[in-house]
Amino acid sequence: MTAMSPRLEPIHHLAQQSRVFGPALLADADDPHAELLAMVWGPRFDREHALGLWARLSQRRPGEAVPVLPALLSAADRFDALGTPVQQRLRRLIVRHQTLGAAAM
């Protein structure tokens, strides 16, 4: 097994967390990638936007929402700890994933 590049490790951890909270949090979103980008577009994670998504989830499916909140807040803290170049790389990866998904349709 090859070791992960230290530069990519923070992005890998965020991707893992998004796999935990993403499906439930973004299930009803018209454009899940746009919602993700809205949370990470600035230099700090947009907690207000994220908590708005979480509040909608908690009203629709309260049992599913409970474990999502700590994962979401952890992802916010991890994102805020990233340097600007790594944040930009993460945004590019989200856009690339969005483009690949659109091309598959």
Side-chain angles (χ1 to χ4, degrees), residues 10 14 17 36-37 39-47 72-84 86-91 94:
L14 279 169
Q17 286 183 306
L36 280 174
L37 285 170
M39 288 185 268
V40 300
W41 197 253
R44 296 194 41 87
F45 192 91
D46 189 340
R47 286 167 175 77
L72 185 60
L73 295 175
S74 174
D77 291 340
R78 283 183 181 269
F79 179 81
D80 289 350
L82 298 176
T84 301
V86 181
Q87 288 179 350
Q88 290 171 340
R89 181 169 173 77
L90 178 63
R91 292 179 197 109
I94 294 169

Side-chain angles (χ1 to χ4, degrees), residues 38-77:
M39 288 185 268
V40 300
W41 197 253
R44 296 194 41 87
F45 192 91
D46 189 340
R47 286 167 175 77
E48 186 176 335
H49 183 76
L51 290 174
L53 293 171
W54 182 83
R56 288 196 319 238
L57 171 65
S58 69
Q59 289 186 349
R60 290 188 319 271
R61 297 187 301 268
E64 249 182 274
V66 171
V68 169
L69 186 57
L72 185 60
L73 295 175
S74 174
D77 291 340

